Amino acid sequence: MKRNHGVALRPFEWAKYLRRITVATTGMSMALLTGLAPAYSGEEGPLLGSSRGGSAQWDFCDGKPDDAVLPTDPRTLVQPNISDGRAVHFNAYWKDCHVDPQAVGEEGPAQTCGELRDRFQRGEALLTNGHPGVGALFSGTDPMTPEAGFGVATFSAQQYNNLWRSWNGFFFRPDNFDYLVAERYGSGLSEARNPYPRPWEDPNRTNGGTGQLPEMFTQLRNEDGSWSGRIGITCHACHSGVAGSPEDGEDLGVLQGSGSSLADLDLLLRDMLPLGYPASLATFANLNRTRGTNNASDINLAFLFPDEGFLPPDVVLGLLNSGSTAGMDTPAWWNMGHRPVKFVDGVFPMDAPRVDMVFYTPFFGLFGSIGGPVSEAGQDWMRENGPALNTWVESLKSPAYPYDVDTELAEQGAELFHTLDMWAPERDNPVPKPEGNGSCASCHGAYANQYANDPGFLATPELEGIASYIVPMDIIETDPVRLETNNEAVQVAGARNFFGYPPTQGTANDCGPQNQERLRGDREPGYLAPPLFGVWATAPYLHNGSVPDMWSLLKPSERPSIWRRVSEPARPDQRGRAVMGFDTDLDRAYDRTRMGWDYEPIACEHRTWWNPSVTPYLSCDPNDEDATPVAQELLSGLYSNLIAVWNVMFPPTLTRAQMEDRKIYNTHMFGQGNGGHEFNAVLTDTERRAIIEYLKTL
């Protein structure tokens, strides 16, 4: 059913404010900002409307000729002192990793709309499934090169076609095989063609084949553009989810760049192991324990390989006892154009594109200088393709909320979001107060035109929607595992790794890990508050995906300890045999009041003969749902102090019951705590309802 939108989402007309200015690389004096923003009249502007994320430069180029000179990227304005005394606070700043493009081996920033469009098209090719220029994990664009390990990370169409043989309960290839693959491994089937050859088909006689791959896979092309018959895993496995279908709205169905809370790549590796897929050996180094999460930012493992020479012994020791980052919820790509730094702890500058290319790196490019010329060839591929990939990613827009919005309530929510001080004396908030005005906007940015144009909130309207506040741990109080794992040794090792841009080390634009003590100075460690474009479509919430909906994020007392999202109904004749993914039907499974997907609370009781997700007295306490068992505390101590132990100390998934239990989110387990954001407890339910209504419009 096509839905009507109760709010017209009007993009801000930022172009009229954009000016070409010079920004000092090490800081910005407030004098530079004089006259940058139009004089604030004090008159009320519109409270509702959203740019929906994306890139200000890409938006500027809409309808412009190729020789149009690009305006300043607003993110570059986020420099020390720019937020002093203002309602919205920034403490993580833009770094230009391409001051010397020759030194880092990557192209510098685009100067014209034509240059930006060229990059966009190259990045789009890399991430468009089935495109002649498409890439895949650890393969680059050509999996059969030496640096890509001669196809070690890809598999043949024949192996893919035989996946059903690893599924319990099927004696023949099911007639809805494509649909069941998408459900079992947690990925959407796009309306765009993403072909593979079915049994006995020649891909080059059938234009790629008559089968349809889910978004997490692509068939790669040969150098001459012909179909290779080899299938690889794409970035969309973790970065693109599903909400509804195109019938619900033009932007719905597969959501490119939303972050995925659906995928179970560990189950895929388990199924591919008996089919001879070499990468399936990684199933023994478990990738995740809970469906919809991943530990793709396990950077302490990647940083074991320096770009040159060897790491000092104390750094190696610090890496080995850094522990594991456990699982996380993938952030939305469509916010990248409004973030000066990246990842949940702000560990890298946003202008460090090779970091985002890490999983498309031809395999041997991951191993620093160990592989000699072969590793260097893999790194050269990243240098060539990283900036283009980031350009495409940063252009993505969030989808509009598909249901009617109560405009009056949303406007009330906009005012509360931007101005309600949760640390006002009458609120008696026990949590230390952050910088800014104490509102949601102080951490997450200003969006409403009325406040974005107010110099009391932002130095210039160009900063609309930008969020760059790393909130100290004593304020945010969310699960500390990821932050603590990325300790000083990990940061120092990262600075010597290819991904840390070693040529920039020690300069004003040092693009190594930003949480090194020498770079962060007196800024306290914490988690980066993200922009909130399209937040309605990105449940569950917090960096580890531990809170199922926005209501319980804003009301901590109502967060479930153990819960499981509702699954897609199976076809009647396949019930009890098919493993179905989470339900993404908006009418059936989306809770518009609480802003999140439907879930069921899970009791702490024995479920199967061996269930690591819910085992009384090991992973939960049947007598106290809020208590973490002593056994889990002891395991957490081990996982926190020895690298990769969390990954290997987990039983293999064998039975269908265990596959279903991987859908359970247990907040007592290592890295999965649902605490933090406790300052919201001072809100009233009326205020929560209004704020949620406003968030639907972003």
Side-chain angles (χ1 to χ4, degrees), residues 416-417 420-423 427-432 434 438-444 475-478 532 541-542 547 549-559 674-689 691-692 695:
L416 293 170
F417 180 92
L420 188 150
D421 182 0
M422 288 180 279
W423 283 265
R427 298 273 171 170
D428 195 25
N429 201 323
V431 177
S439 71
C440 303
S442 64
C443 298
H444 291 286
I475 298 173
I476 193 63
E477 298 183 305
T478 46
L532 297 177
Y541 300 108
L542 294 185
V547 178
D549 53 45
M550 184 60 68
W551 180 266
S552 49
L553 179 66
L554 298 180
K555 192 168 187 177
S557 63
E558 294 193 8
R559 296 175 189 171
N674 66 352
H677 236 265
E678 298 287 339
F679 41 77
N680 293 325
V682 302
L683 296 172
T684 67
D685 285 353
T686 298
E687 291 165 342
R688 293 183 180 98
R689 281 189 284 270
I691 290 171
I692 287 174
L695 293 175

Side-chain angles (χ1 to χ4, degrees), residues 371-400:
V374 178
S375 290
E376 187 66 24
Q379 294 179 355
D380 285 343
W381 188 91
M382 280 189 286
R383 293 185 182 100
E384 180 181 353
N385 291 281
L389 179 139
N390 261 29
T391 297
W392 183 82
V393 165
E394 290 171 1
S395 74
L396 296 175
K397 295 284 190 179
S398 65

Side-chain angles (χ1 to χ4, degrees), residues 605-616:
E605 59 187 17
H606 288 287
R607 302 178 59 81
T608 60
W609 70 275
W610 175 244
N611 178 7
S613 298
V614 183
T615 302

Side-chain angles (χ1 to χ4, degrees), residues 480-549:
V481 163
R482 180 161 292 270
L483 187 67
E484 292 174 351
T485 299
N486 292 338
N487 60 22
E488 180 65 9
V490 172
Q491 305 288 323
V492 171
R496 300 186 58 172
N497 186 273
F498 172 74
F499 299 104
Y501 287 76
T504 69
Q505 187 169 352
T507 70
N509 286 280
D510 191 323
C511 287
Q514 298 296 290
N515 293 326
Q516 297 174 75
E517 291 175 0
R518 66 180 180 84
L519 292 181
R520 66 178 172 84
D522 60 1
R523 173 178 61 76
E524 297 177 52
Y527 286 112
L528 179 65
L532 297 177
F533 296 110
V535 67
W536 73 267
T538 61
Y541 300 108
L542 294 185
H543 72 273
N544 57 4
S546 59
V547 178
D549 53 45

Side-chain angles (χ1 to χ4, degrees), residues 45 83 121 147 207 216 315 336 370 399 450 512 514 543 551 594 636 698:
S83 64
Q121 290 165 3
E147 58 267 28
N207 191 22
M216 70 193 318
V315 174
M336 285 177 60
I370 291 177
Q450 176 173 325
Q514 298 296 290
H543 72 273
W551 180 266
R594 299 180 67 92
S636 294
L698 294 182

Side-chain angles (χ1 to χ4, degrees), residues 535-601:
V535 67
W536 73 267
T538 61
Y541 300 108
L542 294 185
H543 72 273
N544 57 4
S546 59
V547 178
D549 53 45
M550 184 60 68
W551 180 266
S552 49
L553 179 66
L554 298 180
K555 192 168 187 177
S557 63
E558 294 193 8
R559 296 175 189 171
S561 296
I562 309 175
W563 54 279
R564 177 170 56 191
R565 186 170 154 182
V566 172
S567 293
E568 176 94 1
R571 203 170 73 180
D573 64 314
Q574 293 176 340
R575 290 174 187 160
R577 295 188 295 153
V579 174
M580 306 301 292
F582 294 134
D583 198 347
T584 58
D585 185 287
L586 287 166
D587 288 334
R588 186 173 57 218
Y590 190 81
D591 189 324
R592 294 179 240 177
T593 301
R594 299 180 67 92
M595 190 185 281
W597 297 98
D598 290 341
Y599 68 90
E600 57 176 331

Side-chain angles (χ1 to χ4, degrees), residues 285-290 293-303 318-330 343-345 347-348 359 478-487 490-491 515 527 542-545 635-648 665 669-673:
N286 183 62
L287 300 179
N288 68 326
R289 295 191 174 189
T290 303
T293 63
N294 67 78
N295 62 348
S297 289
D298 209 353
I299 58 177
N300 52 350
L301 294 176
F303 290 171
L319 281 169
L320 294 177
N321 68 14
S322 62
S324 173
T325 54
M328 68 173 289
D329 182 56
T330 306
F343 302 134
V344 298
D345 51 358
V347 68
F348 275 109
F359 288 103
T478 46
D479 191 291
V481 163
R482 180 161 292 270
L483 187 67
E484 292 174 351
T485 299
N486 292 338
N487 60 22
V490 172
Q491 305 288 323
N515 293 326
Y527 286 112
L542 294 185
H543 72 273
N544 57 4
L635 284 172
S636 294
L638 177 64
Y639 300 152
S640 295
N641 288 284
L642 194 58
I643 195 169
V645 173
W646 176 86
N647 305 74
V648 298
Y665 199 106
M669 296 180 71
F670 179 72
Q672 297 188 175

Side-chain angles (χ1 to χ4, degrees), residues 54-82:
S55 161
Q57 290 189 323
W58 183 249
D59 292 346
F60 168 83
C61 287
D62 185 26
K64 301 285 195 311
D66 281 350
D67 61 0
V69 177
L70 290 172
T72 299
D73 185 331
R75 297 171 299 175
T76 67
L77 304 180
V78 182
Q79 298 291 342
N81 305 318
I82 193 172

